[in-house]
């Protein structure tokens, strides 16, 4: 997830160290390249950027020596265009008069880029951030002021983003930094003799704690001694008093949540919206779909949480797209299936980090078979990205907490999206509705999930049961519980429970059933087997009178169909694990013995 920061000072002077300091404060969001631009009092722009970590790029390019009155820094987390010097931000317009950065995705950047080239502009990179500069350039060249040009350009830019842009014109009302919020976060800081703007608070707090939060659809112009906030739509000035932020830096990084896990759980509606936007505009999706639909057999290969997403993904492809697809754990795939692949098959490797050794081992044995290698990953620039014939990003930004939450949800969103594109059974999904359904599920299950966590907390071993599509969800919920509560929880097929584990049931023993609507009648049989032996069944399901009659506790999902219920059912399971972890005094972000990226066999 990129980060942006800009500052305007009263007097020209050393700005480099301030920009590097701000970049360090934004680094927790994750990035692969970094760039700074300063503008001095005469309007001269100094721009330096490259791939790498802040300190190593600073050592090479000496950001520290940069001087000016206005400065911008950007940390880039690649989604459009690989991590490279030319794709790094900031970007210049054709003549080097404007300099700008963005955070987020400009989803129509491919068509905008064609338009800019047709207009004779100089486009230097494959990065969507360059589009914001040319979009403003288009209107400035037609004589608009910076403010009007930015307002007009914002109409042309589609996606969720925030931007900062400045012109080298130091006359008239310019000499300002301008920023827009349209879907991504943006906060303004007001200090003595300086103002600044950033993606979030940690980079502002060392400078000032007087802040103004922008809303979507607003822009701000900053001078050293004042700011002007206005609505993008009609240019109307907005009066908003600054607030004084009194909490510490750590609270600022966690965006007001107690832990990164809680923050990342609540980021899911937004992360899904960004992914859906991205997929709907990406030229990579048709290539990926071609490879999927022409395969004789599809294998979905991953480990841990990513494997659970593979289970759901393969089931979506079987049921929705009529394509034979099997989920396989990566090491097992290496040992048993890879040797029998042919060039007619395709393997979808799924990994948040893109660096999991078990996954890369499996990929290595697939290469000589000629089967297509497709990657689904969150970390752009990872080994999996480079080794895949085609790849799709999860577009989640940085996931800090060790337990995967938003990356799992976006893996499932991505598989459902692709299966929906190849659909032969059932009705097409209205993708505009999905982020709101995710948000609604988080809100409506919040309290019941906390109550369920209280019921489960006294137990140190338990079962989560799923059926059909929801088996992968039950297994993912169980993994989340094991990871951050240190209790044992087995996720399994509800119909298998009677073949042995049923003997664990005793008076009051809680068992959680994750059910999609079409499976409710079958699940009632499995619930009864537990209930009649004194067990305490808890259901996670869309509203169903019959199910409700047979369980003690009910965690209701919104009234959505089979496919979407499967997608959102993981949300209360994430919340249950989180609450139990806190109750047990465990830090869910850093559970013992675990690491976010497993580069060992
Ligand atoms: C669980 C978790 C792990 C990872 C697994 C694979 O919350 O994060 O189970 O899912 O180690 O990692 P990636 O997806 O990076 O290949």
């Amino acid at each position: 997830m990129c980060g942006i920061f800009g500052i305007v000072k009263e007097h020209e002077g050393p700005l480099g160290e301030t920009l590097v300091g701000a970049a360090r404060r934004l680094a927790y969001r994750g990035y692969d390249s970094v760039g700074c631009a300063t503008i001095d009092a005469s309007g001269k722009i100094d721009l330096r950027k490259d791939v790498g970590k802040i300190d190593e790029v600073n050592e090479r390019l000496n950001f520290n020596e940069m001087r000016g009155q206005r400065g911008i820094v950007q940390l880039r987390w690649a989604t459009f265009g690989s991590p490279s010097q030319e794709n790094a931000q900031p970007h210049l317009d054709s003549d080097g008069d404007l300099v700008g950065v963005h955070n987020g995705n400009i989803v129509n950047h491919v068509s905008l880029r064609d338009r800019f080239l047709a207009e004779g502009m100089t486009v230097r990179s494959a990065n969507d951030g360059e589009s914001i500069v040319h979009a403003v350039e288009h209107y400035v060249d037609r004589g608009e002021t910076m403010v009007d040009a930015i307002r007009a350009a914002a109409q042309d830019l589609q996606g969720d983003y925030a931007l900062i842009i400045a012109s080298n014109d130091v006359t008239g009302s310019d000499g300002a930094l301008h920023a827009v919020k349209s879907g991504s976060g943006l906060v303004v800081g007001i200090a003595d003799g300086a103002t600044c703007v950033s993606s979030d608070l940690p980079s502002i707090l060392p400078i000032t704690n007087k802040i103004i939060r922008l809303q979507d659809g607003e822009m701000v112009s900053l001078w050293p001694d004042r700011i002007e906030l206005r609505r993008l739509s009609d240019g109307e000035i907005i009066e908003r008093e600054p607030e004084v932020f009194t909490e510490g830096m750590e609270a600022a990084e966690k965006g007001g949540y107690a832990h990164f896990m809680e923050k990342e759980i609540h980021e899911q509606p937004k992360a899904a919206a960004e992914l859906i936007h991205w997929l709907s505009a990406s030229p990579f999706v048709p290539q990926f779909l071609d490879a999927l639909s022409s395969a004789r057999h599809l294998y979905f290969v991953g480990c841990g949480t990513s494997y659970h997403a593979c289970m759901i993904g393969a089931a979506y492809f079987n049921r929705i797209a009529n394509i034979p697809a099997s989920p396989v754990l990566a090491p097992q795939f290496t040992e048993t299936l890879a040797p029998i692949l042919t060039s007619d098959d395709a393997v979808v490797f799924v990994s948040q980090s893109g660096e999991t050794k078990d996954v890369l081992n499996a990929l290595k044995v697939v290469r000589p078979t000629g089967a297509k290698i497709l990657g689904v990953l969150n970390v752009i620039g990872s080994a999996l990205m480079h080794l895949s014939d085609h790849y799709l990003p999860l577009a989640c930004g940085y996931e800090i907490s060790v337990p995967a939450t938003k990356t799992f949800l976006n893996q499932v969103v991505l598989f459902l999206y692709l299966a929906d594109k190849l659909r032969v059974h059932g009705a097409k999904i209205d993708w505009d509705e999905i982020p709101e359904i995710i948000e609604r599920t988080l809100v409506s299950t919040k309290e019941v999930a906390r109550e369920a966590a209280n019921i489960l907390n006294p137990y140190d071993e338990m079962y989560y049961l799923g059926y059909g599509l929801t088996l992968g969800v039950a297994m993912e919920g169980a993994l989340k519980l094991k990871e951050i509560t240190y209790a044992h929880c087995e996720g399994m097929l509800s119909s298998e429970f009677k073949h042995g584990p049923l003997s664990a049931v005793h008076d009051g023993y809680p068992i959680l059933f994750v059910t999609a609507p079409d499976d409710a009648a079958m699940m009632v049989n499995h619930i009864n087997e537990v209930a009649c032996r004194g067990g305490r069944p808890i259901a996670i399901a869309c509203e169903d009178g019959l199910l409700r009659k047979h369980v003690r506790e009910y965690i209701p999902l919104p009234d959505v169909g089979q496919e979407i219920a499967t997608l959102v059912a993981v949300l209360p399971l994430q919340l249950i694990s989180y609450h139990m972890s806190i109750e047990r005094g465990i830090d869910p972000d850093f559970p013992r013995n675990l690491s976010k990226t497993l580069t060992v066999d």
Side-chain angles (χ1 to χ4, degrees), residues 453-533:
N454 289 337
I455 294 167
L456 297 175
N457 201 26
Y459 294 83
D460 266 330
E461 53 87 21
M462 58 201 97
Y463 288 90
Y464 282 2
L465 307 183
Y467 189 79
L469 278 177
T470 61
L471 174 60
V473 182
M475 289 180 65
E476 171 56 11
L479 176 66
K480 224 70 320 165
L481 200 90
K482 283 182 275 207
E483 267 184 290
I484 60 168
T485 71
Y486 309 156
H488 178 70
C489 183
E490 194 170 334
M492 63 183 291
L493 197 67
S494 57
S495 57
E496 275 290 294
F497 197 63
K498 60 181 176 289
H499 294 290
L502 191 57
S503 63
V505 173
H506 55 83
D507 239 15
Y509 185 68
I511 299 193
L512 204 141
F513 293 83
V514 190
T515 315
D518 299 352
D519 307 320
M522 174 63 86
M523 202 58 121
V524 165
N525 296 332
H526 305 152
I527 288 170
N528 275 335
E529 287 160 7
V530 166
C532 72
R533 289 170 174 85

Side-chain angles (χ1 to χ4, degrees), residues 303-306 350-354 356 402-404 479-480 483 598:
C303 297
T305 288
S306 294
V350 184
S351 172
Q352 183 283 129
S353 61
T356 299
V402 167
L479 176 66
K480 224 70 320 165
E483 267 184 290
L598 284 166

Side-chain angles (χ1 to χ4, degrees), residues 67-122:
R67 294 177 60 82
Q69 202 184 6
R70 287 174 283 168
I72 304 175
V73 60
Q74 200 261 14
L75 296 182
R76 174 168 185 247
W77 169 276
T79 12
F80 282 105
S82 59
S84 68
Q85 201 266 344
E86 64 181 12
N87 286 334
Q89 299 197 29
H91 293 289
L92 294 171
D93 73 335
S94 303
D95 299 327
D97 295 330
L98 303 175
V99 61
V101 291
H102 95 308
N103 164 25
N105 290 321
I106 307 297
V107 296
N108 60 334
H109 97 107
V110 175
S111 57
L112 282 176
R113 188 188 151 88
D114 290 345
R115 199 186 92 189
F116 300 144
L117 288 168
E119 286 179 20
M121 294 185 190
T122 307

